[in-house]
């Protein structure tokens, strides 16, 4: 049998408690192809050894509710 693969997309609500420029998520075995923060493109960097995805926001996020959307394979 061939290797199993999957793909998907998700949008989540994020409550920011203090201003930040990055968001770090657990990301084991995911290849994130794109991300956006409040509808604006955001840069992503995967650290496979730590199994973490760092999302660099397009601007500093103020405290409050925001949306983070991403697609992965």
């Amino acid at each position: 049998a061939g290797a199993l693969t999957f793909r998907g997309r998700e949008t989540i609500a994020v409550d920011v408690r203090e201003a930040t420029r990055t968001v770090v998520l657990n990301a084991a075995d995911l290849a994130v192809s794109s991300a956006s923060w409040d509808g604006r493109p955001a840069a992503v960097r995967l650290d496979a050894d730590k199994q973490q995805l760092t999302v660099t926001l397009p601007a500093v996020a103020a405290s409050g509710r925001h949306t983070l959307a991403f697609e992965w394979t």
Side-chain angles (χ1 to χ4, degrees):
L4 299 176
T5 61
F6 63 95
R7 54 192 279 174
R9 71 179 71 152
E10 187 63 66
T11 300
I12 59 173
V14 179
D15 289 318
V16 174
R17 294 184 180 184
E18 59 184 66
T20 186
R21 186 72 197 267
T22 59
V23 175
V24 179
L25 305 165
N26 292 330
D29 301 322
L30 290 179
V32 174
S33 57
S34 67
S36 66
W37 180 260
D38 291 339
R40 296 174 56 200
V44 295
R45 182 178 50 83
L46 178 65
D47 183 329
D49 292 335
K50 291 182 180 179
Q51 298 181 341
Q52 292 180 335
L53 177 75
T54 300
V55 180
T56 302
L57 310 180
V60 173
S63 61
R65 182 156 285 198
H66 299 269
T67 58
L68 173 60
F70 47 96
E71 294 187 21
W72 68 88
T73 56

